[in-house]
Amino acid sequence: MKKGIFRSGALTLALGAFIGAPIVTTSAFAEETFKVAVVSFLTGPAAGPFGEPGRHGAELLIDAINDGTMPAPYDSVGFGGVQIEGIFVDESGGNAKQVAEYRNLIEKQNVDAVIGYISSGSCMAIAPVAEELQTLTIMSVCGTPRLFEGNDWQYTFRTQAHAVADSVAAALYIRDQLGDVKSYTGINQNYAWGQDSWKFFDIAMQKLTPGSSGSDSPQFPKIFAGQYGTEISTLLLEDADLVHSSFWDGDIEAFVLQASVRGFFDKKRFISVAGASAVDNLGKRFPEGTVVGTRGEYGILVREQEGELNEWFIDTYRERYGVYPLESSYQYAQTVLALKAAMDKAAAESGGTPNEDQIIAAMKGLEFQSLAGNVSLALGNGHQAVHPIGYGITAWDEESNSPKLVDIRIYPTHCILPPVNQMSEAWLEAAMPGADC
């Protein structure tokens, strides 16, 4: 690993003008820059609902911090005394392509750190390479708990809580708000995120609502399948009262539109773990009365929440991009805040510009204020974030002519995640000892 200041610097930026520099954020850079690749879906079905909003969240925060225009506690200029140069990279194309792109970013483009990644498949493929190349890599969105459970990464972090939190919070919300659910099934994408989401939700429901029963044949279509006629027919034929889904990206939008024309939402109660982007994108076409989560304190869930950081983010984002920030906008912005907090901490402790080892040491176990709540890297030996998770029910606000969530409940960390050094599945099977919520 490079023990000096950074792999990149002013020379890299200057050369870019002659060799074709990548897209960077708009702020002017200081003499020393910290070069960060921001990876997100910029093409394909995940770009509109997740990738582009994520990129915008990171871009907005990088520019504001470089310029010193954020509210406290992030009002100091720069990251640990230096400016960040953001390079935006497309996550589309599959795991093999992402691994090759990652190697190119480190070995040829000399980036100092990598942040982002939405797909759990991407995260699982990238983490071993980050360790091999000894490069600070902070995952922003992906949900599989397998990333840290059973692995002891040194250079890899995640600022988003994992699927267990989403699933347990969903089961708690059903118990607390929809206590009459007797049976349930699910439709989830057939890869790590979807499989984990259903498994953990099913176990949590068994423990929290023992009078309900889960389906023996939940649906697992291929990610980005786009067409769900067969699955919708199967779900409609089941006796289940409730349907659970961790669909995200264009899949949740396609499912909602295809299911709506068949009266699906009049016959089934639906809980969408990560479909909040579709609520904004579909507007009145998204069915009212749907239980929706945002995987944290993000997006439509906190649109009316007071607080200087959250209000600044919503107003500045809308002014710049013309729309409300979505779930992934918050998730990527949260990663940028974690990087600033760690670099500022490392700079204060070192008395100067920190090197990579010092930034990683400061990141481990970091606690920081996010846009609408607090985050702690408390699991995974100080590399995995924990934070509250909320759900609400969709409704239409006639006054603002926009969607909203009602009956919002936000569950604290100790209710939805295992204690340190406990494996998630074993904790769930043991009826979540310590989670008295």
Side-chain angles (χ1 to χ4, degrees), residues 156-415:
T156 305
F157 295 81
R158 177 164 55 188
T159 52
Q160 171 65 46
H162 58 62
V164 170
D166 305 300
S167 297
V168 175
L172 284 168
Y173 191 88
I174 291 165
R175 183 198 68 183
D176 297 340
Q177 296 291 134
L178 315 175
D180 58 342
V181 170
K182 301 300 182 185
S183 56
Y184 57 92
T185 186
I187 179 167
N188 296 275
Q189 295 154 320
N190 192 18
Y191 77 118
W193 160 250
Q195 294 160 357
D196 288 341
S197 294
W198 168 255
K199 177 171 67 175
F200 297 137
F201 174 75
D202 187 27
I203 299 173
M205 285 291 288
Q206 292 172 31
K207 304 302 179 182
L208 293 168
T209 59
S212 65
S213 60
S215 171
D216 293 328
S217 55
Q219 301 298 296
F220 287 98
K222 183 179 178 181
I223 186 174
F224 304 150
Q227 295 295 323
Y228 303 104
T230 300
E231 289 83 3
I232 292 168
S233 295
T234 301
L235 293 171
L236 285 170
L237 289 172
E238 283 209 49
D239 291 332
D241 303 319
L242 179 136
V243 178
H244 163 278
S245 182
S246 60
F247 271 19
W248 57 282
D249 64 79
D251 284 355
I252 182 62
E253 295 183 22
F255 176 83
V256 165
L257 293 173
Q258 292 165 34
S260 292
V261 298
R262 299 179 61 177
F264 181 90
F265 300 101
D266 296 326
K267 302 168 185 174
K268 302 289 184 181
R269 204 66 191 260
F270 189 65
I271 181 164
S272 175
V273 171
S277 63
V279 179
D280 278 292
N281 290 342
L282 295 181
K284 277 201 168 182
R285 292 179 295 172
F286 196 96
E288 293 190 56
T290 298
V291 180
V292 168
T294 65
R295 302 201 61 221
E297 296 174 285
Y298 311 135
I300 193 171
L301 190 78
V302 295
R303 196 156 290 165
E304 303 301 321
Q305 181 173 313
E306 296 180 354
E308 188 176 10
L309 276 173
N310 189 45
E311 292 171 7
W312 171 88
F313 185 60
I314 292 171
D315 292 344
T316 309
Y317 192 102
R318 292 188 72 192
E319 181 178 356
R320 181 162 178 169
Y321 302 112
V323 293
Y324 280 108
L326 301 183
E327 171 184 330
S328 62
S329 312
Y330 278 81
Q331 289 166 319
Y332 272 75
Q334 183 163 287
T335 304
V336 175
L337 291 181
L339 182 59
K340 175 171 173 57
M343 292 182 70
D344 286 354
K345 179 182 176 183
E349 291 175 349
S350 65
T353 303
N355 61 30
E356 189 175 30
D357 283 338
Q358 292 164 335
I359 297 169
I360 288 172
M363 178 73 71
K364 187 174 179 179
L366 182 71
E367 297 182 9
F368 65 99
Q369 183 179 349
S370 190
L371 295 164
N374 294 312
V375 179
S376 173
L377 273 64
L379 299 181
N381 196 28
H383 290 241
Q384 166 65 57
V386 300
H387 53 73
I389 300 286
Y391 283 87
I393 296 175
T394 56
W396 188 259
D397 188 332
E398 295 292 348
E399 184 176 344
S400 65
N401 196 35
S402 63
K404 64 179 180 179
L405 296 186
V406 298
D407 298 332
I408 292 171
R409 296 188 72 142
I410 296 177
Y411 294 96
T413 299
H414 74 272
C415 293

